[in-house]
Short mmCIF file of all heavy atoms in Angstrom, two decimals:
data_model
loop_
_atom_site.label_atom_id
_atom_site.label_comp_id
_atom_site.label_asym_id
_atom_site.label_seq_id
_atom_site.Cartn_x
_atom_site.Cartn_y
_atom_site.Cartn_z
N MET Y 1 -2.06 -99.42 -188.04
CA MET Y 1 -0.79 -98.87 -188.45
C MET Y 1 -0.79 -98.68 -189.89
O MET Y 1 -1.14 -99.59 -190.64
CB MET Y 1 0.26 -99.96 -187.97
CG MET Y 1 1.63 -99.56 -188.35
SD MET Y 1 2.69 -99.50 -186.88
CE MET Y 1 3.73 -98.29 -187.33
N PRO Y 2 -0.45 -97.41 -190.38
CA PRO Y 2 -0.40 -97.17 -191.81
C PRO Y 2 0.55 -98.18 -192.53
O PRO Y 2 1.58 -98.47 -192.17
CB PRO Y 2 0.19 -95.80 -191.85
CG PRO Y 2 -0.16 -95.15 -190.58
CD PRO Y 2 -0.09 -96.26 -189.57
N LYS Y 3 0.04 -98.60 -193.65
CA LYS Y 3 0.71 -99.63 -194.47
C LYS Y 3 2.15 -99.04 -194.90
O LYS Y 3 3.11 -99.73 -194.89
CB LYS Y 3 -0.07 -100.09 -195.65
CG LYS Y 3 -1.24 -101.00 -195.34
CD LYS Y 3 -1.94 -101.41 -196.74
CE LYS Y 3 -2.98 -102.41 -196.29
NZ LYS Y 3 -3.58 -102.92 -197.56
N ASP Y 4 2.06 -97.85 -195.30
CA ASP Y 4 3.32 -97.18 -195.74
C ASP Y 4 4.36 -97.20 -194.64
O ASP Y 4 5.60 -97.25 -194.87
CB ASP Y 4 3.13 -95.76 -196.36
CG ASP Y 4 2.48 -95.81 -197.68
OD1 ASP Y 4 2.35 -96.86 -198.35
OD2 ASP Y 4 1.96 -94.76 -198.13
N ASP Y 5 4.02 -96.96 -193.48
CA ASP Y 5 4.89 -96.98 -192.24
C ASP Y 5 5.51 -98.33 -192.13
O ASP Y 5 6.74 -98.40 -191.86
CB ASP Y 5 4.14 -96.47 -191.02
CG ASP Y 5 3.86 -95.00 -191.05
OD1 ASP Y 5 4.16 -94.21 -191.97
OD2 ASP Y 5 3.20 -94.62 -189.98
N VAL Y 6 4.69 -99.30 -192.16
CA VAL Y 6 5.14 -100.67 -191.93
C VAL Y 6 6.10 -101.08 -193.10
O VAL Y 6 7.18 -101.71 -192.83
CB VAL Y 6 3.99 -101.69 -191.86
CG1 VAL Y 6 4.52 -103.17 -191.76
CG2 VAL Y 6 3.06 -101.38 -190.74
N PHE Y 7 5.71 -100.70 -194.30
CA PHE Y 7 6.52 -101.09 -195.39
C PHE Y 7 7.87 -100.33 -195.36
O PHE Y 7 8.96 -100.89 -195.77
CB PHE Y 7 5.87 -100.75 -196.73
CG PHE Y 7 6.61 -101.14 -197.96
CD1 PHE Y 7 6.79 -102.53 -198.21
CD2 PHE Y 7 7.11 -100.26 -198.77
CE1 PHE Y 7 7.57 -102.99 -199.34
CE2 PHE Y 7 7.79 -100.63 -200.05
CZ PHE Y 7 8.09 -102.03 -200.33
N GLY Y 8 7.90 -99.09 -194.96
CA GLY Y 8 9.04 -98.32 -194.76
C GLY Y 8 10.05 -98.92 -193.74
O GLY Y 8 11.32 -98.95 -194.03
N LEU Y 9 9.45 -99.38 -192.59
CA LEU Y 9 10.26 -100.07 -191.63
C LEU Y 9 10.85 -101.34 -192.07
O LEU Y 9 12.05 -101.70 -191.87
CB LEU Y 9 9.45 -100.35 -190.34
CG LEU Y 9 9.06 -99.24 -189.59
CD1 LEU Y 9 7.99 -99.53 -188.52
CD2 LEU Y 9 10.33 -98.53 -188.91
N TYR Y 10 10.12 -102.10 -192.96
CA TYR Y 10 10.66 -103.30 -193.65
C TYR Y 10 11.74 -102.96 -194.55
O TYR Y 10 12.86 -103.63 -194.48
CB TYR Y 10 9.55 -103.99 -194.45
CG TYR Y 10 10.10 -104.96 -195.45
CD1 TYR Y 10 10.69 -106.17 -195.13
CD2 TYR Y 10 10.01 -104.61 -196.87
CE1 TYR Y 10 11.28 -107.01 -196.05
CE2 TYR Y 10 10.64 -105.55 -197.71
CZ TYR Y 10 11.15 -106.66 -197.45
OH TYR Y 10 11.79 -107.43 -198.26
N ASN Y 11 11.75 -101.91 -195.33
CA ASN Y 11 12.79 -101.52 -196.22
C ASN Y 11 14.00 -101.10 -195.42
O ASN Y 11 15.16 -101.45 -195.79
CB ASN Y 11 12.29 -100.29 -197.10
CG ASN Y 11 11.59 -100.83 -198.34
OD1 ASN Y 11 12.01 -101.80 -198.96
ND2 ASN Y 11 10.44 -100.28 -198.74
N ASP Y 12 13.83 -100.30 -194.29
CA ASP Y 12 14.94 -100.05 -193.47
C ASP Y 12 15.57 -101.23 -192.88
O ASP Y 12 16.78 -101.38 -192.87
CB ASP Y 12 14.48 -99.15 -192.25
CG ASP Y 12 13.93 -97.79 -192.68
OD1 ASP Y 12 14.29 -97.31 -193.89
OD2 ASP Y 12 13.32 -97.22 -191.83
N TRP Y 13 14.84 -102.27 -192.49
CA TRP Y 13 15.33 -103.44 -192.00
C TRP Y 13 16.08 -104.28 -193.08
O TRP Y 13 17.22 -104.73 -192.80
CB TRP Y 13 14.19 -104.33 -191.47
CG TRP Y 13 14.68 -105.70 -191.06
CD1 TRP Y 13 15.19 -106.08 -189.82
CD2 TRP Y 13 14.63 -106.94 -191.88
NE1 TRP Y 13 15.41 -107.45 -189.81
CE2 TRP Y 13 15.14 -107.90 -191.03
CE3 TRP Y 13 14.26 -107.22 -193.19
CZ2 TRP Y 13 15.35 -109.21 -191.53
CZ3 TRP Y 13 14.52 -108.48 -193.66
CH2 TRP Y 13 14.92 -109.50 -192.81
N ALA Y 14 15.50 -104.29 -194.26
CA ALA Y 14 16.14 -104.98 -195.39
C ALA Y 14 17.56 -104.33 -195.74
O ALA Y 14 18.53 -105.11 -195.94
CB ALA Y 14 15.27 -105.08 -196.59
N GLU Y 15 17.61 -103.10 -195.68
CA GLU Y 15 18.83 -102.39 -196.03
C GLU Y 15 19.88 -102.63 -195.01
O GLU Y 15 21.04 -102.90 -195.28
CB GLU Y 15 18.51 -100.94 -196.17
CG GLU Y 15 19.80 -100.01 -196.56
CD GLU Y 15 19.51 -98.55 -196.74
OE1 GLU Y 15 18.33 -98.23 -197.04
OE2 GLU Y 15 20.44 -97.84 -196.53
N ALA Y 16 19.42 -102.61 -193.72
CA ALA Y 16 20.30 -102.85 -192.59
C ALA Y 16 20.92 -104.18 -192.58
O ALA Y 16 22.06 -104.46 -192.11
CB ALA Y 16 19.65 -102.53 -191.36
N HIS Y 17 20.18 -105.18 -193.21
CA HIS Y 17 20.62 -106.64 -193.20
C HIS Y 17 21.17 -106.97 -194.58
O HIS Y 17 21.40 -108.09 -194.92
CB HIS Y 17 19.46 -107.49 -192.83
CG HIS Y 17 19.05 -107.35 -191.40
ND1 HIS Y 17 18.32 -106.41 -190.86
CD2 HIS Y 17 19.51 -108.17 -190.37
CE1 HIS Y 17 18.20 -106.56 -189.57
NE2 HIS Y 17 18.91 -107.66 -189.23
N GLY Y 18 21.42 -106.03 -195.40
CA GLY Y 18 22.14 -106.25 -196.71
C GLY Y 18 21.31 -106.89 -197.70
O GLY Y 18 21.84 -107.60 -198.64
N ILE Y 19 19.96 -106.83 -197.66
CA ILE Y 19 19.09 -107.41 -198.63
C ILE Y 19 19.03 -106.48 -199.93
O ILE Y 19 18.51 -105.34 -199.87
CB ILE Y 19 17.72 -107.72 -198.04
CG1 ILE Y 19 17.88 -108.70 -196.96
CG2 ILE Y 19 16.74 -108.31 -199.09
CD1 ILE Y 19 16.60 -108.95 -196.12
N ASP Y 20 19.65 -106.94 -201.01
CA ASP Y 20 19.73 -106.11 -202.17
C ASP Y 20 18.50 -105.96 -202.98
O ASP Y 20 18.26 -104.99 -203.64
CB ASP Y 20 20.86 -106.68 -203.07
CG ASP Y 20 22.20 -106.49 -202.48
OD1 ASP Y 20 22.49 -105.60 -201.73
OD2 ASP Y 20 23.03 -107.46 -202.72
N ASP Y 21 17.57 -106.89 -202.79
CA ASP Y 21 16.34 -106.94 -203.71
C ASP Y 21 15.15 -107.19 -202.78
O ASP Y 21 14.54 -108.28 -202.79
CB ASP Y 21 16.49 -108.05 -204.78
CG ASP Y 21 15.30 -107.95 -205.82
OD1 ASP Y 21 14.76 -106.83 -205.92
OD2 ASP Y 21 15.11 -108.89 -206.39
N PRO Y 22 14.78 -106.17 -201.91
CA PRO Y 22 13.60 -106.48 -201.01
C PRO Y 22 12.37 -106.62 -201.75
O PRO Y 22 12.30 -106.22 -202.89
CB PRO Y 22 13.62 -105.12 -200.13
CG PRO Y 22 14.33 -104.14 -200.90
CD PRO Y 22 15.25 -104.85 -201.80
N LEU Y 23 11.34 -107.12 -201.16
CA LEU Y 23 10.10 -107.29 -201.77
C LEU Y 23 9.42 -105.89 -202.02
O LEU Y 23 9.61 -104.88 -201.28
CB LEU Y 23 9.10 -108.03 -200.70
CG LEU Y 23 9.57 -109.48 -200.31
CD1 LEU Y 23 8.68 -109.92 -199.12
CD2 LEU Y 23 9.50 -110.39 -201.48
N ASN Y 24 8.64 -105.91 -203.08
CA ASN Y 24 7.81 -104.78 -203.33
C ASN Y 24 6.66 -104.81 -202.45
O ASN Y 24 6.37 -105.69 -201.68
CB ASN Y 24 7.36 -104.55 -204.80
CG ASN Y 24 6.48 -105.62 -205.22
OD1 ASN Y 24 5.63 -106.16 -204.48
ND2 ASN Y 24 6.57 -106.11 -206.52
N LYS Y 25 5.84 -103.59 -202.34
CA LYS Y 25 4.83 -103.51 -201.39
C LYS Y 25 3.79 -104.53 -201.48
O LYS Y 25 3.30 -105.08 -200.49
CB LYS Y 25 4.15 -102.10 -201.52
CG LYS Y 25 3.32 -101.79 -200.32
CD LYS Y 25 2.63 -100.41 -200.46
CE LYS Y 25 3.64 -99.31 -200.53
NZ LYS Y 25 2.98 -98.00 -200.45
N SER Y 26 3.43 -104.99 -202.73
CA SER Y 26 2.36 -105.97 -202.95
C SER Y 26 2.87 -107.38 -202.35
O SER Y 26 2.12 -108.06 -201.68
CB SER Y 26 2.05 -106.11 -204.42
OG SER Y 26 1.11 -107.18 -204.64
N TRP Y 27 4.11 -107.70 -202.68
CA TRP Y 27 4.61 -108.99 -202.21
C TRP Y 27 4.78 -109.00 -200.70
O TRP Y 27 4.68 -109.98 -200.01
CB TRP Y 27 5.99 -109.38 -202.95
CG TRP Y 27 5.61 -110.06 -204.29
CD1 TRP Y 27 5.66 -109.61 -205.58
CD2 TRP Y 27 5.02 -111.37 -204.37
NE1 TRP Y 27 5.27 -110.44 -206.39
CE2 TRP Y 27 4.77 -111.63 -205.78
CE3 TRP Y 27 4.72 -112.41 -203.48
CZ2 TRP Y 27 4.36 -112.93 -206.32
CZ3 TRP Y 27 4.25 -113.62 -204.03
CH2 TRP Y 27 4.05 -113.84 -205.35
N PHE Y 28 5.18 -107.89 -200.25
CA PHE Y 28 5.49 -107.67 -198.75
C PHE Y 28 4.14 -108.12 -198.04
O PHE Y 28 4.15 -108.86 -196.95
CB PHE Y 28 5.90 -106.35 -198.42
CG PHE Y 28 5.92 -106.01 -196.90
CD1 PHE Y 28 6.93 -106.73 -196.16
CD2 PHE Y 28 4.95 -105.29 -196.26
CE1 PHE Y 28 6.90 -106.40 -194.79
CE2 PHE Y 28 5.01 -105.14 -194.93
CZ PHE Y 28 6.02 -105.70 -194.18
N THR Y 29 3.05 -107.58 -198.47
CA THR Y 29 1.76 -107.87 -197.83
C THR Y 29 1.40 -109.30 -197.93
O THR Y 29 0.96 -109.88 -196.96
CB THR Y 29 0.64 -106.94 -198.45
OG1 THR Y 29 0.93 -105.51 -198.21
CG2 THR Y 29 -0.70 -107.17 -197.90
N ARG Y 30 1.63 -109.86 -199.08
CA ARG Y 30 1.37 -111.32 -199.29
C ARG Y 30 2.19 -112.17 -198.39
O ARG Y 30 1.58 -113.11 -197.70
CB ARG Y 30 1.57 -111.69 -200.69
CG ARG Y 30 0.58 -111.16 -201.70
CD ARG Y 30 0.96 -111.60 -203.15
NE ARG Y 30 0.30 -110.70 -204.05
CZ ARG Y 30 0.52 -110.56 -205.28
NH1 ARG Y 30 1.48 -111.39 -205.80
NH2 ARG Y 30 -0.12 -109.81 -206.17
N LYS Y 31 3.38 -111.81 -198.28
CA LYS Y 31 4.32 -112.59 -197.41
C LYS Y 31 3.98 -112.45 -195.96
O LYS Y 31 4.07 -113.31 -195.14
CB LYS Y 31 5.86 -112.26 -197.64
CG LYS Y 31 6.24 -112.67 -198.99
CD LYS Y 31 6.52 -114.24 -198.99
CE LYS Y 31 7.25 -114.62 -200.22
NZ LYS Y 31 7.56 -116.05 -200.28
N LEU Y 32 3.59 -111.19 -195.57
CA LEU Y 32 3.31 -110.86 -194.17
C LEU Y 32 2.12 -111.63 -193.73
O LEU Y 32 2.04 -112.28 -192.72
CB LEU Y 32 2.91 -109.37 -194.04
CG LEU Y 32 2.56 -108.84 -192.63
CD1 LEU Y 32 3.74 -108.99 -191.79
CD2 LEU Y 32 2.19 -107.39 -192.76
N ASN Y 33 1.18 -111.88 -194.77
CA ASN Y 33 -0.08 -112.65 -194.44
C ASN Y 33 0.22 -114.15 -194.28
O ASN Y 33 -0.69 -114.87 -193.72
CB ASN Y 33 -1.12 -112.47 -195.38
CG ASN Y 33 -2.05 -111.29 -195.14
OD1 ASN Y 33 -2.58 -111.14 -194.08
ND2 ASN Y 33 -2.16 -110.33 -196.09
N THR Y 34 1.42 -114.57 -194.72
CA THR Y 34 1.73 -116.00 -194.50
C THR Y 34 2.21 -116.25 -193.18
O THR Y 34 2.27 -117.40 -192.72
CB THR Y 34 2.66 -116.54 -195.56
OG1 THR Y 34 3.89 -115.96 -195.47
CG2 THR Y 34 2.12 -116.37 -197.03
N HIS Y 35 2.68 -115.13 -192.48
CA HIS Y 35 3.23 -115.33 -191.19
C HIS Y 35 2.35 -114.90 -190.01
O HIS Y 35 2.37 -115.52 -188.90
CB HIS Y 35 4.58 -114.50 -191.10
CG HIS Y 35 5.62 -114.96 -192.03
ND1 HIS Y 35 6.30 -116.08 -191.80
CD2 HIS Y 35 5.96 -114.51 -193.19
CE1 HIS Y 35 7.19 -116.30 -192.72
NE2 HIS Y 35 6.95 -115.33 -193.58
N ILE Y 36 1.49 -113.88 -190.21
CA ILE Y 36 0.57 -113.40 -189.16
C ILE Y 36 -0.70 -113.00 -189.84
O ILE Y 36 -0.77 -112.70 -191.03
CB ILE Y 36 1.11 -112.17 -188.43
CG1 ILE Y 36 1.44 -111.02 -189.28
CG2 ILE Y 36 2.37 -112.57 -187.62
CD1 ILE Y 36 1.79 -109.68 -188.66
N LYS Y 37 -1.80 -113.01 -189.23
CA LYS Y 37 -3.07 -112.62 -189.70
C LYS Y 37 -3.21 -111.10 -189.62
O LYS Y 37 -3.14 -110.48 -188.56
CB LYS Y 37 -4.19 -113.27 -188.79
CG LYS Y 37 -5.57 -112.83 -189.14
CD LYS Y 37 -6.07 -113.32 -190.46
CE LYS Y 37 -7.58 -112.95 -190.58
NZ LYS Y 37 -7.78 -112.26 -191.80
N VAL Y 38 -3.29 -110.50 -190.69
CA VAL Y 38 -3.48 -109.07 -190.80
C VAL Y 38 -4.71 -108.71 -191.71
O VAL Y 38 -4.96 -109.39 -192.68
CB VAL Y 38 -2.18 -108.19 -191.32
CG1 VAL Y 38 -1.03 -108.46 -190.46
CG2 VAL Y 38 -1.86 -108.68 -192.75
N ASP Y 39 -5.35 -107.66 -191.26
CA ASP Y 39 -6.42 -107.14 -192.12
C ASP Y 39 -6.14 -105.79 -192.52
O ASP Y 39 -5.17 -105.16 -191.95
CB ASP Y 39 -7.69 -107.21 -191.26
CG ASP Y 39 -8.32 -108.55 -190.95
OD1 ASP Y 39 -8.26 -109.38 -191.82
OD2 ASP Y 39 -8.67 -108.78 -189.74
N SER Y 40 -6.87 -105.35 -193.52
CA SER Y 40 -6.62 -103.98 -194.07
C SER Y 40 -7.93 -103.05 -193.87
O SER Y 40 -8.97 -103.68 -193.87
CB SER Y 40 -6.20 -104.00 -195.47
OG SER Y 40 -5.13 -104.68 -195.77
N THR Y 41 -7.76 -101.85 -193.62
CA THR Y 41 -8.76 -100.90 -193.61
C THR Y 41 -8.26 -99.55 -194.09
O THR Y 41 -7.06 -99.45 -194.32
CB THR Y 41 -9.36 -100.83 -192.16
OG1 THR Y 41 -10.52 -100.06 -192.13
CG2 THR Y 41 -8.35 -100.18 -191.19
N LYS Y 42 -9.09 -98.50 -194.21
CA LYS Y 42 -8.75 -97.26 -194.49
C LYS Y 42 -9.18 -96.38 -193.40
O LYS Y 42 -10.37 -96.44 -193.05
CB LYS Y 42 -9.22 -96.73 -195.88
CG LYS Y 42 -8.57 -97.49 -197.01
CD LYS Y 42 -8.94 -96.82 -198.38
CE LYS Y 42 -8.16 -97.51 -199.44
NZ LYS Y 42 -8.58 -96.93 -200.75
N LYS Y 43 -8.27 -95.53 -192.78
CA LYS Y 43 -8.62 -94.61 -191.92
C LYS Y 43 -8.26 -93.19 -192.45
O LYS Y 43 -7.45 -92.99 -193.25
CB LYS Y 43 -7.78 -94.71 -190.59
CG LYS Y 43 -8.09 -96.14 -189.86
CD LYS Y 43 -7.25 -96.18 -188.64
CE LYS Y 43 -7.51 -97.61 -188.02
NZ LYS Y 43 -6.79 -97.74 -186.82
N ARG Y 44 -9.14 -92.30 -192.09
CA ARG Y 44 -8.88 -90.94 -192.52
C ARG Y 44 -7.88 -90.21 -191.66
O ARG Y 44 -8.08 -90.16 -190.41
CB ARG Y 44 -10.18 -90.08 -192.53
CG ARG Y 44 -11.20 -90.66 -193.59
CD ARG Y 44 -12.25 -89.60 -194.01
NE ARG Y 44 -12.97 -90.16 -195.10
CZ ARG Y 44 -12.63 -90.03 -196.35
NH1 ARG Y 44 -11.68 -89.12 -196.67
NH2 ARG Y 44 -13.43 -90.40 -197.31
N ILE Y 45 -6.87 -89.61 -192.36
CA ILE Y 45 -5.94 -88.75 -191.67
C ILE Y 45 -5.89 -87.41 -192.36
O ILE Y 45 -5.67 -87.45 -193.64
CB ILE Y 45 -4.55 -89.44 -191.70
CG1 ILE Y 45 -4.57 -90.82 -190.94
CG2 ILE Y 45 -3.46 -88.46 -191.16
CD1 ILE Y 45 -3.24 -91.51 -190.92
N ASP Y 46 -6.16 -86.41 -191.72
CA ASP Y 46 -6.28 -85.10 -192.30
C ASP Y 46 -7.32 -85.06 -193.45
O ASP Y 46 -7.09 -84.51 -194.56
CB ASP Y 46 -4.98 -84.51 -192.76
CG ASP Y 46 -3.93 -84.32 -191.65
OD1 ASP Y 46 -4.44 -83.97 -190.50
OD2 ASP Y 46 -2.83 -84.49 -191.82
N GLY Y 47 -8.38 -85.88 -193.28
CA GLY Y 47 -9.38 -85.91 -194.34
C GLY Y 47 -9.26 -86.84 -195.44
O GLY Y 47 -10.09 -87.07 -196.39
N GLU Y 48 -7.99 -87.43 -195.50
CA GLU Y 48 -7.67 -88.37 -196.64
C GLU Y 48 -7.66 -89.76 -196.16
O GLU Y 48 -7.15 -90.07 -195.10
CB GLU Y 48 -6.26 -87.95 -197.16
CG GLU Y 48 -6.18 -86.55 -197.85
CD GLU Y 48 -6.94 -86.40 -199.03
OE1 GLU Y 48 -6.95 -87.33 -199.87
OE2 GLU Y 48 -7.59 -85.28 -199.08
N PRO Y 49 -8.23 -90.65 -196.98
CA PRO Y 49 -8.11 -92.09 -196.66
C PRO Y 49 -6.77 -92.63 -196.76
O PRO Y 49 -6.03 -92.46 -197.77
CB PRO Y 49 -9.06 -92.72 -197.75
CG PRO Y 49 -9.09 -91.80 -198.88
CD PRO Y 49 -8.95 -90.47 -198.28
N VAL Y 50 -6.30 -93.32 -195.70
CA VAL Y 50 -4.98 -93.80 -195.69
C VAL Y 50 -5.01 -95.36 -195.46
O VAL Y 50 -5.68 -95.76 -194.36
CB VAL Y 50 -4.15 -93.16 -194.66
CG1 VAL Y 50 -2.78 -93.75 -194.47
CG2 VAL Y 50 -4.03 -91.66 -194.90
N PRO Y 51 -4.54 -96.22 -196.30
CA PRO Y 51 -4.54 -97.71 -196.01
C PRO Y 51 -3.76 -97.96 -194.74
O PRO Y 51 -2.74 -97.53 -194.51
CB PRO Y 51 -3.83 -98.33 -197.26
CG PRO Y 51 -3.89 -97.24 -198.33
CD PRO Y 51 -3.93 -95.92 -197.57
N HIS Y 52 -4.44 -98.85 -193.81
CA HIS Y 52 -3.86 -99.39 -192.60
C HIS Y 52 -3.91 -100.85 -192.52
O HIS Y 52 -4.81 -101.44 -193.10
CB HIS Y 52 -4.60 -98.72 -191.44
CG HIS Y 52 -4.28 -97.41 -191.07
ND1 HIS Y 52 -4.53 -96.27 -191.90
CD2 HIS Y 52 -3.71 -96.92 -189.91
CE1 HIS Y 52 -4.12 -95.14 -191.21
NE2 HIS Y 52 -3.67 -95.54 -190.02
N TYR Y 53 -3.00 -101.38 -191.79
CA TYR Y 53 -3.05 -102.78 -191.33
C TYR Y 53 -3.70 -102.70 -190.07
O TYR Y 53 -3.38 -101.90 -189.21
CB TYR Y 53 -1.73 -103.37 -191.18
CG TYR Y 53 -0.87 -103.66 -192.43
CD1 TYR Y 53 0.35 -103.09 -192.63
CD2 TYR Y 53 -1.35 -104.46 -193.44
CE1 TYR Y 53 1.08 -103.37 -193.76
CE2 TYR Y 53 -0.69 -104.76 -194.59
CZ TYR Y 53 0.55 -104.19 -194.77
OH TYR Y 53 1.33 -104.44 -195.90
N THR Y 54 -4.57 -103.72 -189.75
CA THR Y 54 -5.05 -103.85 -188.41
C THR Y 54 -4.59 -105.12 -187.86
O THR Y 54 -4.26 -106.09 -188.59
CB THR Y 54 -6.66 -103.82 -188.47
OG1 THR Y 54 -7.13 -104.96 -189.28
CG2 THR Y 54 -7.25 -102.52 -188.94
N GLY Y 55 -4.36 -105.21 -186.57
CA GLY Y 55 -3.74 -106.31 -185.97
C GLY Y 55 -2.22 -106.36 -186.01
O GLY Y 55 -1.61 -107.38 -185.77
N VAL Y 56 -1.72 -105.20 -186.26
CA VAL Y 56 -0.23 -105.05 -186.37
C VAL Y 56 0.21 -104.02 -185.49
O VAL Y 56 -0.34 -102.88 -185.35
CB VAL Y 56 0.30 -104.80 -187.80
CG1 VAL Y 56 1.73 -104.45 -187.88
CG2 VAL Y 56 -0.09 -105.86 -188.80
N ARG Y 57 1.34 -104.21 -184.75
CA ARG Y 57 1.97 -103.22 -183.96
C ARG Y 57 3.46 -103.40 -184.08
O ARG Y 57 3.92 -104.58 -184.25
CB ARG Y 57 1.48 -103.23 -182.50
CG ARG Y 57 2.32 -103.74 -181.55
CD ARG Y 57 1.73 -103.72 -180.16
NE ARG Y 57 2.18 -104.82 -179.35
CZ ARG Y 57 3.33 -104.82 -178.61
NH1 ARG Y 57 4.02 -103.70 -178.55
NH2 ARG Y 57 3.71 -105.90 -178.02
N ILE Y 58 4.17 -102.35 -183.95
CA ILE Y 58 5.59 -102.36 -184.22
C ILE Y 58 6.14 -102.23 -182.82
O ILE Y 58 5.86 -101.48 -181.98
CB ILE Y 58 6.08 -101.23 -185.02
CG1 ILE Y 58 5.55 -101.13 -186.37
CG2 ILE Y 58 7.66 -101.18 -185.07
CD1 ILE Y 58 5.79 -102.50 -187.19
N ARG Y 59 6.99 -103.27 -182.52
CA ARG Y 59 7.63 -103.32 -181.14
C ARG Y 59 8.94 -102.65 -181.21
O ARG Y 59 9.66 -102.61 -182.13
CB ARG Y 59 7.89 -104.81 -180.67
CG ARG Y 59 6.47 -105.53 -180.60
CD ARG Y 59 6.62 -106.87 -179.98
NE ARG Y 59 7.49 -107.78 -180.78
CZ ARG Y 59 7.73 -108.99 -180.46
NH1 ARG Y 59 7.19 -109.53 -179.43
NH2 ARG Y 59 8.55 -109.80 -181.26
N SER Y 60 9.32 -102.00 -180.10
CA SER Y 60 10.46 -101.27 -179.98
C SER Y 60 11.55 -102.23 -179.31
O SER Y 60 11.24 -103.32 -178.88
CB SER Y 60 10.39 -100.05 -179.04
OG SER Y 60 10.08 -100.46 -177.68
N GLU Y 61 12.78 -101.80 -179.35
CA GLU Y 61 13.83 -102.63 -178.81
C GLU Y 61 13.65 -102.84 -177.25
O GLU Y 61 13.92 -103.98 -176.82
CB GLU Y 61 15.21 -102.04 -179.02
CG GLU Y 61 15.63 -101.98 -180.39
CD GLU Y 61 17.10 -101.52 -180.52
OE1 GLU Y 61 17.92 -101.65 -179.74
OE2 GLU Y 61 17.33 -100.97 -181.68
N GLU Y 62 12.97 -101.89 -176.68
CA GLU Y 62 12.69 -102.17 -175.16
C GLU Y 62 11.74 -103.29 -174.97
O GLU Y 62 11.76 -103.92 -173.94
CB GLU Y 62 12.08 -100.91 -174.56
CG GLU Y 62 12.95 -99.72 -174.51
CD GLU Y 62 13.12 -98.95 -175.90
OE1 GLU Y 62 12.16 -98.76 -176.52
OE2 GLU Y 62 14.33 -98.52 -176.16
N ASP Y 63 10.84 -103.62 -175.92
CA ASP Y 63 9.95 -104.75 -175.81
C ASP Y 63 10.68 -106.03 -175.76
O ASP Y 63 10.09 -106.97 -175.31
CB ASP Y 63 8.95 -104.78 -176.94
CG ASP Y 63 7.98 -103.59 -176.97
OD1 ASP Y 63 7.66 -103.07 -175.98
OD2 ASP Y 63 7.49 -103.26 -178.13
N PHE Y 64 11.94 -106.04 -176.26
CA PHE Y 64 12.73 -107.35 -176.19
C PHE Y 64 13.58 -107.50 -174.93
O PHE Y 64 14.22 -108.47 -174.81
CB PHE Y 64 13.47 -107.47 -177.46
CG PHE Y 64 12.66 -107.55 -178.64
CD1 PHE Y 64 12.39 -106.46 -179.48
CD2 PHE Y 64 12.04 -108.79 -179.09
CE1 PHE Y 64 11.61 -106.54 -180.69
CE2 PHE Y 64 11.20 -108.89 -180.14
CZ PHE Y 64 10.95 -107.76 -180.97
N GLN Y 65 13.68 -106.51 -174.18
CA GLN Y 65 14.47 -106.50 -172.99
C GLN Y 65 13.86 -107.32 -171.89
O GLN Y 65 12.69 -107.29 -171.59
CB GLN Y 65 14.87 -105.12 -172.46
CG GLN Y 65 15.40 -104.13 -173.46
CD GLN Y 65 16.73 -104.70 -173.96
OE1 GLN Y 65 17.58 -105.16 -173.19
NE2 GLN Y 65 16.90 -104.54 -175.18
N PRO Y 66 14.77 -108.21 -171.24
CA PRO Y 66 14.15 -109.01 -170.10
C PRO Y 66 13.73 -108.22 -168.86
O PRO Y 66 14.00 -107.15 -168.67
CB PRO Y 66 15.32 -109.99 -169.76
CG PRO Y 66 16.51 -109.42 -170.34
CD PRO Y 66 16.05 -108.34 -171.36
#
């Protein structure tokens, strides 16, 4: 999953929850690694290297329905 996508979702979440001073991208990655094991890699998208997290997937609201 592209790191920028994950970080963007975190920022959306922080804004929705009234967090006025969310973590920057570097601190977000550090804190994320204290909660779950994530690795990083670069994958090419349209010929350009894009930083990705491996071992991360974003769940939708449907994933939480019984």
Side-chain angles (χ1 to χ4, degrees):
M1 175 122 214
K3 287 183 176 185
D4 285 345
D5 291 356
V6 176
F7 186 67
L9 290 168
Y10 160 71
N11 277 314
D12 292 346
W13 174 87
E15 183 178 333
H17 288 84
I19 298 172
D20 294 326
D21 190 21
L23 299 170
N24 65 33
K25 196 182 294 187
S26 177
W27 276 106
F28 172 76
T29 298
R30 289 179 199 164
K31 291 286 190 177
L32 183 63
N33 272 309
T34 67
H35 296 283
I36 61 173
K37 172 73 172 122
V38 294
D39 290 315
S40 296
T41 190
K42 287 189 180 176
K43 295 182 181 181
R44 291 202 173 268
I45 298 178
D46 297 326
E48 296 295 320
V50 177
H52 278 65
Y53 291 120
T54 58
V56 171
R57 103 179 148 91
I58 303 302
R59 298 190 298 186
S60 68
E61 287 186 31
E62 292 83 36
D63 291 335
F64 294 100
Q65 301 302 319

